[in-house]
Amino acid sequence: MNQLDLNQEKLNNDLDINDSSDISNEELKVEFENDDFSRNQDKKIVKNIFFVALSNIITLLAGVLVGFVVPKMMSIEDHGYYRIFTLYFGYVGLFHLGFVDGIYLYFAGEKYDKLNREKFRLFSRFLFVFQSIVLLIVVGISMFFMGSEYMPILLFIGISLLANNLTTYYQMISQITYRFKELSIINSLKSILTIVSVLVLFLIYKFTDVGLINYQIYVIIFLGIQYLLTIFYVIAYRDITFGKSEKFKENRDEILGFFKLGFPLLLANFVSVLLLNIDRQFVSIWFTTEEYSMYAFAYNLLSLVTTTIGAIATVLYPSLKTKKKNELKKSYHSINAVIMSIVTIGLMGYFPLSFIVEWILPKYVDSLTFYKIVSPGLLYSSSVTIILANYYKSINKVRTFFIISLGALVLSIIADIVVYYTIGTMESISYASVGVLFIYYIVAEIIMTKKLNIINFKNLIYSILIVTFFYLSVYLISNIYIQMTVFVLSGLIILLIFNYKPIIKLLKNQLL
């Protein structure tokens, strides 16, 4: 049995949630002696979240510029093609076939100075060669679509995958070794470069006679930034990239083992991403590019909210993996309460965003119809992708999560097809999407609470109340100022009633 198999066996045994044996006095003593260590670890989690949150603030600013300035510089059709590119760009991570995920799962929680340099140099070079071959294949395939409006999109996707997956690989190393400050700096650099490029394009658009900006120009700039960041990562991690490395032949089984270990997680992540994108996939196929542009713009507004909570997802899994079963159980409700509270505040952003769209981008005002339908689904998607997905990984139940996600994806496909051929509107597809997310969350939540042997209905009740009050506010009240007042007040009251105590408890445990 090789080292990877031993580690997999350890993963299978470390967090066996179904083990109901009593804790011995000796175990209790060890746990008590480790309280200080656990508390220090918790403080590190808060610091890590803080560093990533700072970079996410800059990312949010970049997102605002991309969300509002880029559509203004483009025609609705060009913006539609750009959003089709970003839609399929989300699947580029599939091309490493689970290799990066395997490294992520295997080494999570390791210290950087403990990593075997010669081994990781082999891993880095293997991934580079592997992805270069895939790039050439995808670019070659794109040539068969010469003359089609989708040919440039496929070409750009092929070019992007090398930089994207190498960057993902180095980012995974940053996460598993707790180098979040470095990760935050490079992410901030990406956002700053994006801000500068958008501002330069806007000045060209505003003060020259070039007219509207073609989406291909912006995508080329986007790809340039991607490759520049990859170069920064290669330099930052040069000690595990350049120099003497171990031989591939001697490590072939271990490398294949990473694919085997990571592929279930890759599939689970792919199904989750596809589930969250499936309505956009169908809208891009069934409706015109201009109509898809409106629909995608609504989701771009939603991404401004998800950026603000991305810091927690980045640091959560490596932190959870170091926790014991009883610690996972204790923190489950509190972490959920924090995420849902943040998303609730994010939902309140619908109202100021509506004002901004009407003021700056009146040609996209119709997108607000879709935005107010799909935004409450963020409560369920955030809980699943940030909390539940990380918990399933931490207790080594990736396959279970994959089956749940696959079932939800099949349900979503069926729901979208049914509503399209019976009702035939983009609004109906939006409602179907939110309904499936609700079912997805309930199933994943029920199974997880059973695995953890806890009872937790408060988060479900809280989310239903928030979603109900949001829909009642925006659909039963015509005046947007009264809508905003009613939902903000009711949302804050519900938040305080349900989540005040768990949030305070979590903060005390982390900070004291």
Side-chain angles (χ1 to χ4, degrees):
M1 182 180 292
N2 62 32
Q3 184 60 37
L4 189 62
D5 293 328
L6 288 170
N7 192 75
Q8 178 62 50
E9 185 175 335
K10 182 177 184 295
L11 272 173
N12 291 336
N13 295 328
D14 276 351
L15 287 170
D16 184 5
I17 296 301
N18 296 317
D19 180 12
S20 57
S21 59
D22 294 332
I23 301 175
S24 67
N25 289 334
E26 187 63 30
E27 289 171 327
L28 191 62
K29 180 181 178 182
V30 171
E31 184 176 327
F32 178 77
E33 290 174 347
N34 287 333
D35 277 348
D36 288 340
F37 173 77
S38 179
R39 191 175 293 111
N40 288 335
Q41 288 294 101
D42 287 340
K43 289 181 179 179
K44 287 182 180 179
I45 295 173
V46 174
K47 289 180 180 178
N48 289 334
I49 292 175
F50 174 74
F51 278 124
V52 181
L54 283 178
S55 73
N56 278 16
I57 291 173
I58 302 175
T59 302
L60 181 62
L61 293 175
V64 170
L65 277 176
V66 173
F68 290 104
V69 178
V70 170
K72 192 172 184 66
M73 296 187 295
M74 294 180 185
S75 67
I76 294 177
E77 183 180 23
D78 260 30
H79 179 255
Y81 285 127
Y82 168 65
R83 287 301 164 191
I84 290 173
F85 164 76
T86 59
L87 176 66
Y88 288 99
F89 176 76
Y91 304 127
V92 165
L94 288 173
F95 289 104
H96 63 69
L97 300 181
F99 177 78
V100 174
D101 293 299
I103 288 179
Y104 178 66
L105 289 172
Y106 184 78
F107 291 101
E110 291 285 338
K111 292 183 179 179
Y112 184 75
D113 56 6
K114 299 293 183 182
L115 298 179
N116 186 319
R117 295 295 188 269
E118 293 187 359
K119 234 181 226 308
F120 266 85
R121 288 167 191 159
L122 171 63
F123 301 156
S124 302
R125 293 172 189 178
F126 169 79
L127 183 64
F128 175 81
V129 173
F130 174 37
Q131 293 303 287
S132 296
I133 293 171
V134 178
L135 181 154
L136 293 175
I137 292 172
V138 176
V139 170
I141 292 173
S142 71
M143 296 299 107
F144 290 99
F145 294 86
M146 194 72 70
S148 167
E149 64 266 25
Y150 291 103
M151 181 270 180
I153 294 175
L154 186 57
L155 176 64
F156 291 143
I157 292 296
I159 294 172
S160 70
L161 70 88
L162 176 62
N164 182 80
N165 289 342
L166 283 176
T167 298
T168 300
Y169 166 72
Y170 289 117
Q171 285 178 334
M172 289 294 190
I173 294 173
S174 293
Q175 291 180 40
I176 62 181
T177 58
Y178 298 97
R179 293 161 67 99
F180 293 103
K181 186 174 181 179
E182 175 185 277
L183 176 67
S184 302
I185 290 172
I186 297 182
N187 284 342
S188 298
L189 177 63
K190 175 184 177 182
S191 300
I192 291 170
L193 291 173
T194 301
I195 291 171
V196 171
S197 63
V198 171
L199 289 177
V200 169
L201 282 178
F202 182 74
L203 290 174
I204 294 172
Y205 158 76
K206 193 72 176 176
F207 298 106
T208 67
D209 297 327
V210 297
L212 294 172
I213 303 296
N214 188 287
Y215 84 95
Q216 295 181 27
I217 295 174
Y218 184 70
V219 172
I220 291 171
I221 294 173
F222 171 85
L223 294 177
I225 293 173
Q226 286 286 113
Y227 273 92
L228 188 59
L229 289 175
T230 304
I231 293 171
F232 275 112
Y233 267 116
V234 168
I235 294 172
Y237 286 99
R238 56 189 176 276
D239 58 330
I240 60 169
T241 303
F242 303 112
K244 184 179 178 182
S245 69
E246 295 189 2
K247 302 297 183 183
F248 173 79
K249 191 176 294 186
E250 298 170 0
N251 293 271
R252 181 173 53 194
D253 291 341
E254 187 171 10
I255 288 174
L256 290 175
F258 289 135
F259 285 103
K260 180 181 176 182
L261 180 63
F263 195 70
L265 178 57
L266 177 77
L267 283 180
N269 288 337
F270 167 65
V271 171
S272 297
V273 170
L274 185 58
L275 175 60
L276 298 176
N277 289 342
I278 194 65
D279 57 327
R280 276 172 283 175
Q281 290 284 169
F282 283 132
V283 169
S284 69
I285 296 170
W286 289 331
F287 297 88
T288 67
T289 303
E290 289 82 357
E291 288 173 314
Y292 175 72
S293 180
M294 289 291 174
Y295 197 84
F297 183 79
Y299 272 94
N300 185 63
L301 293 176
L302 203 60
S303 69
L304 300 179
V305 180
T306 60
T307 300
T308 62
I309 57 178
I312 301 173
T314 303
V315 303
L316 192 58
Y317 172 63
S319 305
L320 288 177
K321 191 180 176 184
T322 63
K323 289 183 177 293
K324 297 179 181 179
K325 177 174 64 178
N326 63 320
E327 293 174 319
L328 289 170
K329 291 168 67 173
K330 287 178 182 178
S331 63
Y332 183 75
H333 172 62
S334 297
I335 294 177
N336 257 302
V338 170
I339 291 297
M340 286 196 166
S341 298
I342 293 173
V343 176
T344 299
I345 295 172
L347 286 179
M348 297 173 186
Y350 162 76
F351 303 101
L353 283 175
S354 297
F355 297 136
I356 294 172
V357 170
E358 291 178 359
W359 174 42
I360 298 178
L361 290 168
K363 63 182 179 181
Y364 285 95
V365 72
D366 290 343
S367 67
L368 295 175
T369 300
F370 311 115
Y371 179 58
K372 68 182 176 185
I373 295 174
V374 299
S375 56
L378 194 59
L379 276 169
Y380 305 116
S381 63
S382 296
S383 182
V384 171
T385 57
I386 296 178
I387 306 300
L388 288 164
N390 280 296
Y391 264 78
Y392 277 105
K393 284 188 285 185
S394 297
I395 65 173
N396 197 32
K397 297 296 180 182
V398 173
R399 287 180 177 85
T400 302
F401 182 66
F402 169 70
I403 293 171
I404 296 169
S405 301
L406 184 61
L409 176 60
V410 172
L411 178 61
S412 184
I413 293 172
I414 294 172
D416 285 345
I417 292 174
V418 169
V419 298
Y420 175 71
Y421 285 103
T422 55
I423 302 174
T425 64
M426 291 189 288
E427 290 86 347
S428 63
I429 294 175
S430 298
Y431 281 118
S433 173
V434 175
V436 171
L437 283 175
F438 177 63
I439 296 171
Y440 183 32
Y441 164 73
I442 289 177
V443 174
E445 170 88 355
I446 289 173
I447 293 175
M448 176 52 64
T449 51
K450 284 185 177 180
K451 297 290 184 185
L452 295 176
N453 195 26
I454 58 177
I455 298 174
N456 179 33
F457 293 110
K458 288 184 68 177
N459 293 326
L460 175 60
I461 297 171
Y462 172 84
S463 67
I464 292 174
L465 287 174
I466 291 295
V467 171
T468 300
F469 272 91
F470 180 82
Y471 281 141
L472 289 176
S473 300
V474 297
Y475 285 111
L476 295 185
I477 303 172
S478 58
N479 187 292
I480 191 171
Y481 296 102
I482 300 177
Q483 290 176 7
M484 180 170 62
T485 303
V486 170
F487 178 69
V488 169
L489 290 178
S490 60
L492 290 175
I493 291 170
I494 296 170
L495 189 156
L496 291 173
I497 291 173
F498 278 81
N499 293 341
Y500 175 76
K501 288 184 179 179
I503 290 175
I504 294 300
K505 180 181 178 181
L506 183 68
L507 290 175
K508 284 183 178 179
N509 289 339
Q510 300 290 336
L511 298 174
L512 297 180

